[in-house]
Amino acid sequence: MQRISIQPGYEISRVIRGGWQLAGGHGPVDTETAIEDMIAFADAGITTFDCADIYTGVEELIGAFRLKYGASRGEEALKRIRVHTKFVPDLAVLPTISKAYVEGVIDTSLKRLKLEQLDIVQFHWWAYDIPGWLETAGWLKELQTAGKIGRIGTTNFDSEHIQAFFDAGIPVASLQLQYSLLDRRPEKQMVRLAEDKNFALFCYGTVAGGFLSDRWLGVAEPEHPLENRSLTKYKLVIDDLGGWDLFQALLRTLRQIADRHETDIATIASAAMLRRPAVAAVIVGARNRSHLASNLAISDVPLSTEDLAMIESVMAQARELDGDVYTQERDRNGRHGSIMKYNLNKGE
């Protein structure tokens, strides 16, 4: 597994295991099995884990995993484990948010994860029209100075707001964002900003909720309603890009590339994103270890210049998506927090 330093002294695996699939609403989770799965990922080289304070039970699971991993593999091995959580204040809290509230949530994450300092706290704010996001980021910086937070990250902020953080002296280390072969909105401004300000991009949605996989190759265009909200969201992206025929052309191209490398479409789709400027890592959704081999292959596939040129040839025919990072999702969801929570990173 490839590794990368996103800041001096802070190294992560280039594939991050997402935690959304272990949260409530995805069926029962056996604690011991989940911990053993995490150990298998870490032993294989995927040593970075993503979670959030709103992913029910996931921080506690990772905390239990850390204890067992340190006891069985030793302190040196434990030092390679990185945990990226999120600070996601509820929509109803935003108008009256306070430093005490922020610190309380951070303290809870520390307790759940059994850490003295959170590696990265990724900050999300549901509605820009509710003031307080910049002040809240300032409180996170104060907690960083106090030693409770190692690095401040962000989730689903657009270019204008990321720039505002830097203008205010908030040291953003990373941005978790939807970025895939289909969704290239980050290439309008965000990639250049990340290179200029030296923060890392962590990509979710690299397989577009499962659309970028062999399952959909040669399949007739699905009709609504689709199986879940995730597929509905990414089908809108496909429609906006140019439709089902163009999407099928991309899948056929990815299948040709996958054949050359003896792998699958989803692996190629994620591997291609690791070749993008400013992209430090991709986040993969994993309820268990059943796809671990494919997850490991993402950083190892030796994509050639010809492979990447074939992808670009197809995507040159696509229309440009409107808006900046997460703009359409905010517009489509309005301020309905329960729906927006679904569209927050799931590590897909």
Side-chain angles (χ1 to χ4, degrees):
M1 171 55 56
Q2 293 181 13
R3 300 180 67 79
I4 188 172
S5 293
I6 66 168
Q7 286 190 342
Y10 192 78
E11 187 179 79
I12 64 171
S13 54
R14 296 204 72 192
V15 175
I16 298 173
R17 177 176 171 173
W20 172 263
Q21 281 77 7
L22 294 175
H26 294 83
V29 174
D30 180 80
T31 299
E32 289 305 314
T33 301
I35 291 172
E36 290 301 320
D37 286 340
M38 291 182 195
I39 290 174
F41 271 79
D43 284 347
I46 298 178
T47 57
T48 308
F49 296 81
D50 180 81
C51 57
D53 54 16
I54 62 170
Y55 294 179
T56 305
V58 179
E59 287 184 327
E60 291 93 335
L61 276 175
I62 294 176
F65 150 71
R66 291 189 64 262
L67 284 183
K68 187 166 185 177
Y69 197 73
S72 62
R73 302 298 190 267
E75 287 301 313
E76 286 304 310
L78 184 59
K79 289 178 182 178
R80 289 166 60 86
I81 303 299
R82 300 297 189 187
V83 182
H84 299 171
T85 193
K86 301 183 190 72
F87 168 65
V88 188
D90 191 87
L91 179 64
V93 171
L94 301 190
T96 58
I97 196 167
S98 65
K99 182 181 178 182
Y101 172 88
V102 175
E103 188 165 15
V105 174
I106 296 303
D107 286 343
T108 297
S109 291
L110 285 166
K111 182 178 179 180
R112 290 171 174 170
L113 291 166
K114 296 176 171 52
L115 284 165
E116 294 182 0
Q117 182 183 82
L118 299 174
D119 293 328
I120 293 181
V121 172
Q122 301 165 111
F123 173 39
H124 179 81
W125 190 264
W126 294 115
Y128 292 145
D129 61 332
I130 300 177
W133 53 271
L134 191 57
E135 185 177 19
T136 300
W139 292 328
L140 291 173
K141 182 181 178 182
E142 291 176 15
L143 293 173
Q144 180 184 35
T145 301
K148 293 187 177 185
I149 296 172
R151 291 150 199 86
I152 297 171
T154 52
T155 299
N156 293 329
F157 277 95
D158 62 20
S159 303
E160 178 184 351
H161 289 79
I162 292 291
Q163 181 65 58
F165 286 138
F166 281 100
D167 291 344
I170 309 297
V172 173
S174 64
L175 168 65
Q176 189 171 129
L177 76 173
Q178 184 173 300
Y179 188 14
S180 69
L181 294 177
L182 295 175
D183 185 354
R184 301 192 174 197
R185 287 174 292 174
E187 295 174 10
K188 295 181 181 181
Q189 300 182 64
M190 191 64 76
V191 169
R192 185 169 60 253
L193 183 61
E195 291 182 307
D196 181 49
K197 299 297 184 181
N198 195 32
F199 61 90
L201 299 181
F202 302 150
C203 305
Y204 69 87
T206 58
V207 296
F211 270 122
L212 290 172
S213 68
D214 288 280
R215 172 190 173 190
W216 291 97
L217 176 61
V219 174
E221 183 172 4
E223 296 182 358
H224 292 284
L226 299 179
E227 294 175 31
N228 53 56
R229 291 183 186 275
S230 183
L231 288 176
T232 299
K233 176 177 71 168
Y234 289 110
K235 179 58 166 60
L236 289 171
V237 171
I238 291 169
D239 294 342
D240 290 346
L241 279 173
W244 197 250
D245 288 343
L246 177 63
F247 171 63
Q248 286 295 315
L250 175 61
L251 289 185
R252 289 192 295 270
T253 298
L254 293 176
R255 184 63 257 169
Q256 291 178 43
I257 298 169
D259 285 341
R260 281 205 292 269
H261 296 284
E262 299 182 340
T263 187
D264 55 81
I265 286 175
T267 297
I268 297 298
S270 293
M273 297 313 299
L274 288 181
R275 274 66 178 179
R276 297 285 176 178
V279 172
V282 298
I283 303 167
V284 297
R287 184 167 175 79
N288 52 49
R289 73 185 93 171
S290 60
H291 298 291
L292 178 55
S294 296
N295 298 154
L296 290 169
I298 290 171
S299 74
D300 294 333
V301 176
L303 293 179
S304 66
T305 302
E306 179 187 359
D307 293 333
L308 298 175
M310 288 174 63
I311 295 171
E312 292 308 306
S313 178
V314 176
M315 294 310 298
Q317 305 169 50
R319 294 191 291 263
E320 185 177 272
L321 296 180
D322 292 336
D324 202 312
V325 170
Y326 211 63
T327 300
Q328 290 188 31
E329 290 78 2
R330 290 180 186 275
D331 289 346
R332 282 171 175 155
N333 292 319
R335 286 170 53 179
H336 299 291
S338 61
I339 300 176
M340 293 179 74
K341 281 184 180 179
Y342 191 91
N343 286 329
L344 184 64
N345 162 48
K346 300 179 291 302
E348 293 179 290

